[in-house]
Amino acid sequence: MRLESWTSLPRSQVQDYRHYYWTDEDPFRNAGSTLLARGNGQSYGDVCLPCQQAVVCTPLDRILAFDRTSGRVRVESGIKLSELLAVTVPAGWTLPVIPGSGAVTVGGAIANDVHGKNHHWAGTFGCWIERIELVRSDGRYLCTPEEHPELFRATIGGLGLTGIITWAELQLVRCSSAWLTVERFPFATLDEFFCLSEQVEEHGNYVVGWCDVSTPGKYRGIVSVARFCDDGDFSTPPRHVPLSLPPMPVSVFTRTTVQLTSALYYSTMRRRVRQRMHYTDVFFPLGRLPWNRLFGRRGFFQLHAVVPRALEREATHAICSRLWRAKVPLPLCVLKRFGARPSPGLLSFPIEGTSIAVDLPNHSRSVQALDEIITMVASVGGRIYPAKDAHMASHHFQQMFPQWHQVERLRDPRCCSQFWRRVTSS
Amino acid sequence: MPIDSVLIVGATSAIAHETARALVGRTSHFVLAARNAEHLAVVAADLRNRGAKTVHTLHYDAESHVQRDLLAEAADSIGTLPDAVLIAHGVLPRHEEVVHDSNAARSVLQINTVSVLALCTDVSRHFEQRGSGLLAVISSVAADRGRMQNYLYSASKAALDVYLDGLRLRWKTLSPALRVLTIKPGYVRTPMTAHLEHMILPASPDSVGRRIARAMLRRKGGRMYVPWWWALVAAVLRRLPEPFMLLVRQ
Ligand SMILES: Cc1cc2nc3c(=O)[nH]c(=O)nc-3n(C[C@H](O)[C@H](O)[C@H](O)COP(=O)(O)OP(=O)(O)OC[C@H]3O[C@@H](n4cnc5c(N)ncnc54)[C@H](O)[C@@H]3O)c2cc1C
Ligand SMILES: NC(=O)c1ccc[n+]([C@@H]2O[C@H](COP(=O)([O-])OP(=O)(O)OC[C@H]3O[C@@H](n4cnc5c(N)ncnc54)[C@H](OP(=O)(O)O)[C@@H]3O)[C@@H](O)[C@H]2O)c1
């Protein structure tokens, strides 16, 4: 077995890896000269690719403590979020922050300080972390906001560079059902998207916009607003068998098929105004589809940028029109407004503003568009998400994340990733 | 008859832990026996946090020569004789380290064979007295044919297969509520196989664990290969003439 990133880009297959089975083992003993912790490889780029050896943390998947009255849970770092939710939701507790894939591990969620559709009230995953145990080449550290506070802040969003997280303690939030009501509001222009989202960003809501960027000028789409029901129904829907596909030789997406399917999706969804859905279907919509395989052997890029509040409308518009001019199929574009809640993490990606995530096939025209958009995002004070990046230049990274110096200072000398090597060399 | 209580020996094994997880919800009472006390406490906590009603732990070292009646100890801790027993502990030695070292070989046989068959003997006495019970033991596909690279391990597991075949026949004559399940996994990605360079289509411990739990809950008896297609591979391997076996290097 070889390990790679979720998008197969950059083209690099990891052959040198070991599994981390018990937290009392020292992964640095008898190991390669540099290591990198690895979760479930759900990152789109090279943050999950080691310079030398990967330490796969997925066997560390035990729930060490779960207080059903306070909602405090201590788990090993390799447990998948979907697996944790399957235990906590029936007990009336959900994760405060849930990214778009349930296959993400707790360690990966901390190291990329992931966000969900509720950033406007919940902030990032790191906002809910109370304690972390970190194994470094010189020993074990218990990190909290009070103990080793610098290391704590550097580890949240720390891209696995500060050491290997063995377990973490976090606070869950109450939920009174496993089901959510989803309401959908169509929008015909980006301006409408901004007005609509602003109105629905209440505490407890999960808000996300899907945007059709395949037709120029308009950028219509759907804002969906989900909220946990109050009905105490913790039943699970019949299990869908996830579709499995061999890697497609070429991408199934062409500009025409994407235009057609987007139009179809738009017209179906705008009529499905209100729906009751299980949490797994709301949070992990791509869960049943081997999305990453549909792009063929060449793989794909994701552009995931955030632009600051003051310039969000103009910048989002500019990004969409540059994307359209690339003349490549753009099967998925997701818009989401981030709130103001700060994360303790030094390298945390979200800032108050709007985030846009777009998948682009691996093509020279995509690369050109990416280059221009990244430059533009940097110039307006925005950021590119390291978890989704395989492309940005080191000077852009350093401009967007000036705190990288602090993380570099606290980096374990025996931890390194291909991403870090790329963005810190200059 | 459901499996409400189970004794798992070698409970810190990756496969055993996954099996136990898959039993949670259907099985309420767990008695876990293992050697490493810290790991055992972690496994017990995990099962409790996932919803197991009661989890008791026993310290057990298969290399100790003091014979222990673990099933009786388990009955003491939960107040009733468990409905089922799963024996999972074992070692996979580096063959070059045991091939000429009789002390090392003896220790492998003690852990994989002697301790297991001694446990089975106690279990069979208790279960026959009660007239019901499921005994599940993890053997291996390796038991089906000695190969150049690991015949000591194969031999240590083959003894289990033969013993359990015989016990199964005996139990068939006694009561339909007595069942023997011989579990024969192929390669599984666990700490035991971490040192192996090449594995043929390794399975994940959770898929294997789920499969074992399902079989136990259905009170299946017989030899069970996991994943199932190892039965075909093993059938070929058993019949392969020796000149061809020389080519099998894995
Ligand atoms: C379909 C899909 C949807 C997604 N949606 C979102 C979303 O909505 N929001 C969002 O924020 N992200 C999203 N992501 C990205 C994903 O959440 C992140 O890439 C996440 O970090 C992946 O976690 P992982 O466990 O797979 O870790 P990996 O990808 O294996 O590793 C990610 C990083 O975490 C580090 N790491 C992993 N485990 C440890 C550990 N034990 N100790 C220290 N460091 C560790 C690694 O070194 C690496 O730097 C999505 C990804 C997919 C595939
Ligand atoms: N993995 C495979 O490919 C594979 C294939 C076929 C069959 N099997 C069988 O499956 C079973 C489970 O193995 P696994 O794959 O889950 O590997 P594992 O996680 O390494 O489990 C092996 C277990 O055996 C225990 N053990 C070893 N020596 C012991 C002793 N002296 N006393 C008590 N316990 C002892 C270990 O406990 P400690 O933690 O204390 O060492 C450990 O819990 C084994 O019987 C193995 O032979 C495995």
Side-chain angles (χ1 to χ4, degrees):
Chain A
M1 192 176 72
R2 290 175 184 188
L3 309 175
E4 50 178 17
S5 79
W6 201 66
T7 53
S8 316
L9 287 177
R11 269 219 195 289
S12 165
Q13 293 191 328
V14 181
Q15 292 188 47
D16 187 4
Y17 62 88
R18 294 189 307 164
H19 286 84
Y20 193 0
Y21 285 106
W22 294 98
T23 57
D24 57 2
E25 290 162 8
D26 179 3
F28 291 92
R29 255 188 59 205
N30 310 323
S33 61
T34 69
L35 302 182
L36 183 71
R38 177 161 170 121
N40 203 22
Q42 297 283 299
S43 296
Y44 285 59
D46 46 2
V47 293
C48 64
L49 300 176
C51 297
Q52 218 193 15
Q53 193 176 53
V55 177
V56 182
C57 297
T58 44
L60 298 179
D61 62 352
R62 304 162 190 112
I63 302 175
L64 302 173
F66 176 25
D67 183 337
R68 285 163 200 253
T69 30
S70 69
R72 188 71 73 85
V73 61
R74 189 164 78 240
V75 289
E76 290 183 347
S77 62
I79 190 168
K80 293 185 193 71
L81 301 188
S82 56
E83 200 184 325
L84 183 54
L85 285 168
V87 173
T88 63
V89 169
W93 293 99
T94 180
L95 281 164
V97 171
I98 304 173
S101 160
V104 167
T105 67
V106 165
I110 297 172
N112 271 322
D113 198 16
V114 302
H115 58 269
K117 299 170 183 171
N118 58 348
H119 186 273
H120 56 279
W121 59 271
T124 61
F125 201 79
C127 296
W128 301 83
I129 299 293
E130 315 262 348
R131 294 202 290 167
I132 290 171
E133 187 190 66
L134 197 63
V135 177
R136 288 168 66 91
S137 55
D138 62 352
R140 267 165 210 267
Y141 294 80
L142 186 70
C143 307
T144 73
E146 289 81 36
E147 260 177 280
H148 303 295
E150 270 211 306
L151 210 46
F152 181 78
R153 297 190 55 203
T155 301
I156 291 175
L159 307 175
L161 299 164
T162 58
I164 299 177
I165 302 165
T166 51
W167 57 259
E169 200 169 284
L170 61 144
Q171 180 62 44
L172 306 175
V173 294
R174 275 260 175 234
C175 65
S176 343
S177 174
W179 296 79
L180 296 95
T181 42
V182 183
E183 285 182 280
R184 299 200 179 81
F185 305 94
F187 59 87
T189 62
L190 282 179
D191 279 341
E192 266 182 60
F193 160 78
F194 285 106
C195 298
L196 257 173
S197 332
E198 217 170 329
Q199 285 165 23
V200 294
E201 277 167 8
E202 286 165 33
H203 186 95
N205 279 356
Y206 298 85
V207 183
V208 69
W210 167 82
C211 180
D212 177 4
V213 275
S214 64
T215 343
K218 277 282 175 69
Y219 309 128
R220 60 185 178 173
I222 311 269
V223 171
S224 64
V225 185
R227 201 179 170 84
F228 270 104
C229 300
D230 230 351
D231 54 10
D233 178 0
F234 291 104
S235 63
T236 42
R239 266 235 331 233
H240 309 282
V241 185
L243 215 67
S244 77
L245 275 182
M248 300 273 149
V250 291
S251 173
V252 303
F253 301 115
T254 68
R255 293 182 71 208
T256 325
T257 55
V258 167
Q259 262 177 16
L260 287 174
T261 46
S262 298
L264 189 69
Y265 184 80
Y266 179 77
S267 60
T268 326
M269 284 306 161
R270 64 175 301 170
R271 264 178 272 126
R272 227 175 265 171
V273 181
R274 209 183 156 85
Q275 208 181 349
R276 189 166 177 277
M277 290 170 81
H278 192 251
Y279 76 90
T280 49
D281 294 322
V282 174
F283 295 124
F284 315 129
L286 293 186
R288 253 180 285 158
L289 206 69
W291 183 254
N292 50 347
R293 301 222 156 166
L294 300 180
F295 286 86
R297 272 201 236 290
R298 291 175 60 98
F300 67 108
F301 292 106
Q302 183 172 90
L303 167 74
H304 194 162
V306 59
V307 287
R309 183 68 87 228
L311 295 166
E312 61 186 2
R313 292 178 185 228
E314 299 80 351
T316 310
H317 214 281
I319 292 172
C320 288
S321 55
R322 181 62 192 87
L323 283 169
W324 187 78
R325 274 185 288 134
K327 302 216 180 317
V328 292
L330 301 166
L332 188 65
C333 171
V334 176
L335 297 171
K336 161 94 206 93
R337 275 165 46 106
F338 287 157
R341 184 166 175 167
S343 161
L346 292 178
L347 281 189
S348 185
F349 158 70
I351 53 171
E352 190 177 4
T354 291
S355 113
I356 174 167
V358 187
D359 287 344
L360 300 104
N362 180 11
H363 190 284
S364 60
R365 289 201 301 274
S366 303
V367 175
Q368 232 176 5
L370 272 178
D371 279 334
E372 282 179 37
I373 292 169
I374 292 173
T375 310
M376 196 266 280
V377 168
S379 71
V380 299
R383 289 172 174 184
I384 298 294
Y385 192 6
K388 306 284 187 72
D389 177 67
H391 194 70
M392 78 174 129
S394 59
H395 66 277
H396 282 141
F397 172 77
Q398 296 178 12
Q399 181 186 346
M400 293 169 183
F401 297 92
Q403 309 85 333
W404 78 272
H405 280 294
Q406 268 165 284
V407 174
E408 172 61 17
R409 200 165 41 75
L410 291 164
R411 178 169 72 86
D412 190 305
R414 287 189 61 198
C415 289
C416 184
S417 68
Q418 293 183 18
F419 174 82
W420 199 245
R421 202 167 54 186
R422 169 164 69 86
V423 299
T424 56
S425 64
S426 53
Chain B
M1 208 169 61
I3 296 180
D4 190 47
S5 52
V6 65
L7 162 67
I8 302 180
V9 187
T12 52
S13 117
I15 296 176
H17 187 184
E18 291 293 353
T19 307
R21 279 178 180 170
L23 287 172
V24 169
R26 307 292 209 79
T27 303
S28 310
H29 310 290
F30 292 81
V31 183
L32 311 178
R35 173 170 63 173
N36 185 319
E38 274 167 41
H39 293 178
L40 181 58
V42 167
V43 170
D46 180 66
L47 294 178
R48 274 188 211 110
N49 293 324
R50 285 170 194 260
K53 277 210 192 94
T54 60
V55 184
H56 293 269
T57 58
L58 299 171
H59 179 261
Y60 172 70
D61 183 349
E63 275 194 285
S64 151
H65 290 280
V66 185
Q67 180 52 33
R68 301 247 311 268
D69 188 346
L70 280 183
L71 195 56
E73 290 180 37
D76 281 345
S77 49
I78 56 173
T80 165
L81 199 65
D83 299 323
V85 176
L86 171 67
I87 303 178
H89 63 279
V91 284
L92 174 64
R94 288 173 196 271
H95 195 63
E96 64 281 6
E97 286 171 13
V98 293
V99 69
H100 286 153
D101 180 341
S102 53
N103 279 322
R106 195 189 280 271
S107 137
V108 170
L109 292 170
Q110 169 62 31
I111 297 169
N112 286 3
T113 318
V114 177
S115 75
V116 175
L117 295 186
L119 279 169
C120 289
T121 307
D122 282 333
V123 170
S124 69
R125 190 179 64 252
H126 288 295
F127 280 0
E128 283 178 21
Q129 252 164 25
R130 181 175 64 185
S132 70
L134 167 70
L135 170 61
V137 180
I138 306 188
S139 169
S140 171
V141 169
D144 285 25
R145 183 84 191 252
R147 287 169 301 148
M148 234 181 306
Q149 261 78 3
N150 72 344
Y151 51 83
L152 181 74
Y153 177 77
S154 296
S156 75
K157 291 288 192 183
L160 308 186
D161 286 11
V162 174
Y163 178 100
L164 295 169
D165 284 347
L167 182 64
R168 188 177 303 114
L169 290 173
R170 175 183 163 90
W171 279 8
K172 278 194 173 146
T173 65
L174 293 179
S175 157
L178 288 166
R179 290 287 161 88
V180 179
L181 178 64
T182 313
I183 302 154
K184 293 168 73 73
Y187 287 106
V188 190
R189 211 178 281 287
T190 69
M192 174 176 278
T193 52
H195 66 276
L196 297 185
E197 300 261 303
H198 304 286
M199 289 196 267
I200 302 162
L201 297 175
S204 67
D206 63 307
S207 66
V208 173
R210 271 200 306 272
R211 193 60 214 295
I212 296 174
R214 212 168 43 227
M216 288 177 69
L217 289 167
R218 288 190 191 148
R219 306 199 129 250
K220 230 178 102 134
R223 286 189 176 193
M224 178 177 79
Y225 290 83
V226 204
W228 62 268
W229 47 261
W230 276 104
L232 306 178
V233 178
V236 173
L237 218 54
R238 277 196 303 270
R239 289 172 182 79
L240 216 56
E242 278 199 346
F244 291 98
M245 281 308 284
L246 284 171
L247 303 174
V248 179
R249 298 255 161 196
Q250 291 293 315

